[in-house]
Amino acid sequence: MTFDLNDEMAQAVTEQQLRASLSLILDEVRSDKPSHHFCEDCGAAIPEARRQAVRGVRFCIGCQEVQEHYQHIGTGKRYDSRR
Ligand SMILES: [Zn+2]
């Protein structure tokens, strides 16, 4: 009896954890974060077309390029731009 109960609890906990991490992943993937109106870096206005094209965009094209450039010449953290 107690075994069954524990099993059920373990299952519930696992499901909860799964849901939590799943929602984290979903947040990341289809991030409904609004695109920024202004570049986070230089403060320039981000064109509407870019805001539509890139969901959750934070930088103007110029700053984005600089960011990607730095990522390319490699500080060793290639996927750092997301956080
Ligand atoms: Zn900028």
Side-chain angles (χ1 to χ4, degrees):
M1 266 315 182
T2 39
F3 179 75
D4 282 341
L5 186 63
N6 282 341
D7 204 39
E8 217 167 278
M9 276 174 71
Q11 221 164 43
V13 168
T14 309
E15 195 177 314
Q16 226 171 26
Q17 284 171 343
L18 272 178
R19 258 171 229 238
S21 49
L22 186 67
S23 80
L24 272 182
I25 292 167
L26 284 180
D27 268 3
E28 189 76 12
V29 169
R30 59 169 189 216
S31 104
D32 284 331
K33 282 174 255 167
S35 297
H36 287 203
H37 285 271
F38 299 98
C39 175
E40 206 169 84
D41 201 16
C42 71
I46 297 172
E48 186 62 29
R50 176 164 168 76
R51 297 183 57 238
Q52 303 271 331
V54 189
R55 241 187 262 186
V57 67
R58 291 156 56 202
F59 301 104
C60 70
I61 292 170
C63 291
Q64 184 77 52
E65 273 173 6
V66 170
Q67 294 256 330
E68 277 163 18
H69 177 68
Y70 277 124
Q71 275 168 20
H72 267 296
I73 60 178
T75 44
K77 21 183 189 175
R78 239 163 248 189
Y79 297 103
D80 205 32
S81 67
R82 303 210 63 140
R83 183 91 281 266

